[in-house]
Amino acid sequence: MVDFLASYGLFLAKALTVVGALILVIVAVAAVASRNKKDNKEGYLSVHSMNETLEDMEHALKEVVLDPEVYKQQLKAEEKQDKIDAKARKKALKKAEPVAEAERKRVYVLDFDGDIKASELEPMREEITAVLTMATEKDEVVVRLESPGGMVHSYGLASSQLERIKRQGVPLTVCVDKVAASGGYMMACLADKIIAAPFSILGSIGVVAQLPNFHRLLKKHDIDYEVLTAGEYKRTLTVMGENTEKGRQKFVEELEDTHCLFKEFVGEFRPQVDLDKVATGEVWFGRRALAVNLIDEISTSDEYLTKACADADVFLVRYEYKKTLQDRISEMSVKTTDSLFTKWAGRILNSHLLAK
């Protein structure tokens, strides 16, 4: 059995090496081919009715759970009501009367899954532009926000995009199921209402910067590294050069100023928050965040949107980019690699357990 496992492991290693090499070549070729097209991707707006999705899920469950005859009767009753509603709308249009359904509230749902560079900013700004062509003060925009924060300028711009919604007078709600910290909370605090799951993480109203310095290592090996600047504070701290106490103090001063701007921003949009208490860089779980006014309500986005479907037309709005052949090859390569390693790792583990 031991010899078999050894041979099997050697074969597996060779196979994975060949497959991995092929995948790396494919990814490299795809990256080079798509490099010049990266900034010219064409996108399209995708809109889906969450009411219809919820209704389809309900019917799928009823079809299995309910007695066939009962389910058939319910379907007939719904179809009959739909026909009555359709006739009423048609009649109202002929008489140039306002259609009751036209007055029904619309809820537009956007998703923002943030990384350190706030990469989701580009599609979000397109989604907001599209939504604001129709949204009114009677409607609502719901942003399902997940982000641990990142670059100040990136999240500053992302926050400015959400501010466009408020400036047009459209109610804005932010739902946080997992995390909205630092730059993520900078975005969330703009909302008229912040809803968070009980154990989601919020806050981190602070600023951090860290960088290594290799000056002493370079000096030890007699390697000179020169930093030439025009302007006293053009460069405060560097990775390779020798840092001075004056430059360090200036860097900290800039961090403090950024923190002040962050606090002023939060205070402007959530005046009910005690900044001296919450702007310490700490984070709070959802239940604790409610106690310090960082949020307004405890709930998940699923619960909030499901309830909204009862009284409003809820639409999931996405701005998606058309995937090039290179993009698809890259995605396929990553998925294939992940699948292969997961599959073979499982087999090795099972073989090991069986051998014992």
Side-chain angles (χ1 to χ4, degrees):
M1 178 61 74
V2 175
D3 292 338
F4 168 75
L5 287 176
S7 300
Y8 183 72
L10 183 60
F11 167 76
L12 174 60
K14 289 180 179 179
L16 289 178
T17 301
V18 172
V19 172
L22 288 173
I23 290 172
L24 286 174
V25 170
I26 292 172
V27 171
V29 172
V32 172
S34 61
R35 186 176 299 165
N36 295 329
K37 298 180 180 179
K38 189 174 181 181
D39 298 329
N40 298 316
K41 281 187 177 180
E42 293 183 2
Y44 61 93
L45 195 69
S46 172
V47 184
H48 299 283
S49 170
M50 296 188 74
N51 302 72
E52 292 180 3
T53 300
L54 188 61
E55 187 177 339
D56 290 342
M57 293 171 65
E58 182 183 358
H59 280 295
L61 188 61
K62 283 182 176 180
E63 189 175 5
V64 176
V65 175
L66 297 180
D67 178 270
E69 289 301 320
V70 174
Y71 178 62
K72 190 182 293 184
Q73 289 177 5
Q74 287 189 5
L75 278 181
K76 287 182 179 179
E78 288 180 12
E79 290 173 359
K80 184 177 180 180
Q81 186 60 48
D82 288 341
K83 289 179 180 179
I84 293 172
D85 293 340
K87 286 182 179 179
R89 286 194 297 268
K90 189 175 181 180
K91 186 177 180 180
L93 287 171
K94 285 183 177 179
K95 293 182 178 181
E97 296 176 356
V99 183
E101 195 175 36
E103 299 299 322
R104 187 173 162 93
K105 177 182 175 180
R106 295 190 182 95
V107 177
Y108 301 96
V109 183
L110 314 179
D111 281 328
F112 184 90
D113 189 0
D115 55 17
I116 193 170
K117 297 187 295 183
S119 302
E120 290 291 308
L121 168 62
E122 291 306 316
M124 187 184 73
R125 68 200 304 178
E126 301 290 351
E127 292 160 3
I128 291 174
T129 297
V131 166
L132 292 182
T133 62
M134 285 195 66
T136 68
E137 295 178 357
K138 297 179 181 179
D139 300 324
E140 180 183 4
V141 174
V142 175
V143 177
R144 294 188 291 195
L145 174 64
E146 303 295 341
S147 176
M151 297 179 178
V152 176
H153 58 280
S154 297
Y155 277 90
L157 181 56
S159 300
S160 297
Q161 294 299 322
L162 294 184
E163 194 171 2
R164 292 170 57 199
I165 299 170
K166 293 178 66 70
R167 286 177 179 171
Q168 192 156 314
V170 180
L172 173 63
T173 299
V174 166
C175 293
V176 182
D177 288 327
K178 294 180 182 178
V179 58
S182 194
Y185 191 76
M186 181 189 291
M187 294 176 65
C189 74
L190 279 153
D192 298 294
K193 180 166 57 178
I194 303 176
I195 297 170
F199 289 93
S200 59
I201 296 173
L202 301 106
S204 189
I205 304 172
V207 185
V208 63
Q210 52 190 358
L211 70 162
N213 183 264
F214 298 97
H215 173 69
R216 284 185 293 178
L217 178 64
L218 296 175
K219 187 177 181 179
K220 181 180 178 181
H221 293 279
D222 297 323
I223 300 173
D224 292 329
Y225 183 87
E226 295 185 2
V227 180
L228 307 177
T229 62
E232 185 178 3
Y233 296 116
K234 179 61 180 177
R235 187 70 72 236
T236 52
L237 295 184
T238 72
V239 175
M240 298 295 183
E242 182 178 6
N243 290 321
T244 64
E245 187 59 34
K246 186 176 182 181
R248 191 174 289 107
Q249 289 176 358
K250 180 61 178 177
F251 192 84
V252 172
E253 183 183 316
E254 291 171 350
L255 288 181
E256 291 290 351
D257 184 51
T258 305
H259 188 209
C260 287
L261 287 172
F262 193 174
K263 290 192 291 185
E264 290 171 8
F265 189 82
V266 174
E268 178 182 353
F269 293 101
R270 287 195 72 81
Q272 65 269 43
V273 170
D274 181 354
L275 288 174
D276 291 333
K277 184 175 183 178
V278 302
T280 58
E282 298 173 76
V283 295
W284 281 264
F285 287 111
R287 292 184 183 278
R288 303 288 185 257
L290 181 63
V292 293
N293 295 318
L294 286 172
I295 65 172
D296 302 295
E297 185 180 328
I298 293 290
S299 177
T300 63
S301 62
D302 305 288
E303 182 180 4
Y304 184 77
L305 293 174
T306 299
K307 288 180 180 178
C309 286
D311 305 310
D313 293 325
V314 184
F315 300 99
L316 184 60
V317 181
R318 295 277 184 279
Y319 189 81
E320 300 176 358
Y321 293 99
K322 295 179 180 178
K323 294 180 180 178
T324 63
L325 177 61
Q326 291 82 7
D327 293 331
R328 293 176 182 176
I329 291 174
S330 297
E331 286 185 8
M332 182 180 68
S333 301
V334 173
K335 289 180 181 178
T336 302
T337 305
D338 182 65
S339 177
L340 280 172
F341 275 107
T342 302
K343 182 178 179 180
W344 287 108
R347 288 186 179 182
I348 292 172
L349 178 61
N350 290 335
S351 299
H352 179 66
L353 292 174
L354 289 172
K356 288 185 176 181

